[in-house]
Amino acid sequence: MTMLTRSNNHAGWDDNLAAITAAINSAKHQVTGVSPHFANFGRDLLLHTDLYAQEDLNTPEDPKVAQDMRLSTVKRIQEFVLQRIRRNHEKTKQRYNLRTRQVDFKKGDIVWRRTFTQSSKADHVNKKLDPKFVPAMVKQILGKNIYMLEDVADGKAGRYHAKDIKAD
């Protein structure tokens, strides 16, 4: 791989940047199975054009027919890419949802909220020795996963996400 180095003339930078851009545009994406250049233009990126005959790129004699063929090919590829992205999104969503839990706390419920204690030598506080959760009461529901809680012991109130709350 070419190493990016700084030189007095910027031509070296341009060559390296062009090589990096070509590498990114020609690499196949794991989800879609096609390269970005293929998804946009309907054909693989030609890195050495002198090796390919130019008439292969525009097969029909009529430019309008060639353009219509390329556009229909690009549309088919883009539909294919969107289908693959949607399918991968569903797979990822299922995997993510296996580790989530649906919680619905009501106003007045007693719950356990996570403490966010930081160790401090000056204040003689050790995070390992403090409790990880303290009892609190749900004062208000602020959103789907955000709750206003008030500590049972000292009345301290704060906003907490459902991931930091356990049922009693």
Side-chain angles (χ1 to χ4, degrees), residues 110-113 115 133-137 150-154 168:
I110 301 294
V111 295
W112 291 87
R113 74 156 181 89
T115 60
F133 290 90
V134 295
M137 183 170 55
E150 182 180 294
D151 288 353
V152 173
D154 60 3
D168 190 27

Side-chain angles (χ1 to χ4, degrees), residues 22-45:
I24 290 171
N25 285 337
S26 63
K28 286 188 178 181
H29 192 272
Q30 181 182 0
V31 172
T32 61
V34 297
S35 68
H37 189 274
F38 190 84
N40 285 321
F41 300 110
R43 60 177 179 233
D44 288 323
L45 181 62

Side-chain angles (χ1 to χ4, degrees), residues 11-164:
W13 279 86
D14 293 340
D15 293 342
N16 288 333
L17 210 50
I20 291 169
T21 304
I24 290 171
N25 285 337
S26 63
K28 286 188 178 181
H29 192 272
Q30 181 182 0
V31 172
T32 61
V34 297
S35 68
H37 189 274
F38 190 84
N40 285 321
F41 300 110
R43 60 177 179 233
D44 288 323
L45 181 62
L46 300 177
L47 298 175
H48 303 287
T49 56
D50 55 343
L51 299 178
Y52 300 96
Q54 288 296 324
E55 56 268 2
D56 291 344
L57 300 177
N58 299 315
T59 46
E61 295 294 324
D62 185 13
K64 176 71 174 139
V65 174
Q67 181 182 13
D68 291 343
M69 287 176 54
R70 280 195 301 271
L71 286 176
S72 66
T73 302
V74 168
K75 284 181 183 176
R76 278 197 334 267
I77 291 168
Q78 288 175 345
E79 289 170 4
F80 169 76
V81 167
L82 284 173
Q83 179 186 17
R84 294 285 299 262
I85 289 172
R86 284 188 192 110
R87 185 172 22 159
N88 194 11
H89 174 72
E90 288 300 319
K91 280 175 47 179
T92 306
K93 182 179 166 185
Q94 288 174 352
R95 192 177 318 123
Y96 175 81
N97 287 339
L98 287 174
R99 289 161 187 77
T100 60
R101 59 186 169 94
Q102 181 65 30
V103 292
D104 290 319
F105 300 112
K106 295 174 188 66
K107 190 174 178 179
D109 284 354
I110 301 294
V111 295
W112 291 87
R113 74 156 181 89
R114 183 179 306 276
T115 60
F116 297 98
T117 309
Q118 296 292 316
S119 295
S120 171
K121 187 174 183 180
D123 296 331
H124 304 290
V125 175
N126 190 339
K127 180 180 179 177
K128 288 194 310 187
L129 301 177
D130 272 0
K132 291 187 193 278
F133 290 90
V134 295
M137 183 170 55
V138 177
K139 282 304 208 187
Q140 188 178 2
I141 301 169
L142 301 175
K144 184 177 178 184
N145 292 319
I146 306 294
Y147 297 90
M148 178 66 75
L149 302 180
E150 182 180 294
D151 288 353
V152 173
D154 60 3
K156 184 178 117 184
R159 295 169 53 156
Y160 296 91
H161 192 274
K163 69 178 178 59
D164 299 317

